[in-house]
Amino acid sequence: MSIVQEHTITPLFLSESAVSKVRELVEEEGNENLKLRVFVTGGGCSGFQYGFSFDKVQDDEDAVIQKDGMSLLVDPMSYQYLVGAMVDYQEGLQGAQFVVQNPNASSTCGCGSSFTI
């Protein structure tokens, strides 16, 4: 008898703080079609860096994470680096910003916006 293990992909998560800020920004713009997009690009101090934008258009290949009526979009290339990560919104000494708490990152830089896998 063999044991078969099922592997499931852990999605991205949105914190309550991130959902609240996205809702606030969408309401300010007066456009309910806006969605927060998180993406990974090459560069930064550590090799990869996070980026955020608001998008009106959802591509067919995008992963869509929804929470409390708000949507987070992630393109397929970025998704592989973000599986299991938490998108949060923080206000502190470095200012107010969306941040990614990524369990896949082996190291991050001091600014928190770039990482190494």
Side-chain angles (χ1 to χ4, degrees):
M1 177 186 206
S2 66
I3 298 174
V4 176
Q5 293 182 346
E6 290 186 27
H7 297 280
T8 57
I9 295 177
T10 306
L12 266 65
F13 300 97
L14 274 168
S15 72
E16 293 296 328
S17 175
V19 170
S20 293
K21 189 60 178 181
V22 170
R23 181 174 286 113
E24 178 185 321
L25 293 170
V26 167
E27 288 173 359
E28 281 179 17
E29 288 295 316
N31 185 346
E32 294 178 8
N33 294 322
L34 289 177
K35 297 163 182 61
L36 180 65
R37 178 177 294 281
V38 61
F39 53 92
V40 173
T41 59
C45 315
S46 299
F48 294 102
Q49 60 188 6
Y50 303 112
F52 295 94
S53 65
F54 276 94
D55 228 329
K56 297 175 192 171
V57 179
Q58 174 185 327
D59 294 332
D60 290 339
E61 307 87 37
D62 285 339
V64 181
I65 294 81
Q66 295 185 330
K67 182 173 181 177
D68 298 334
M70 296 295 104
S71 298
L72 176 71
L73 303 177
V74 186
D75 65 87
M77 179 69 109
S78 298
Y79 190 86
Q80 64 186 330
Y81 298 109
L82 296 169
V83 170
M86 169 74 75
V87 175
D88 194 13
Y89 181 77
Q90 298 177 351
E91 295 180 6
L93 295 175
Q94 295 179 346
Q97 61 188 348
F98 287 102
V99 296
V100 177
Q101 298 165 1
N102 190 343
N104 303 306
S106 60
S107 67
T108 59
C109 69
C111 68
S113 65
S114 78
F115 65 101
T116 303
I117 297 290

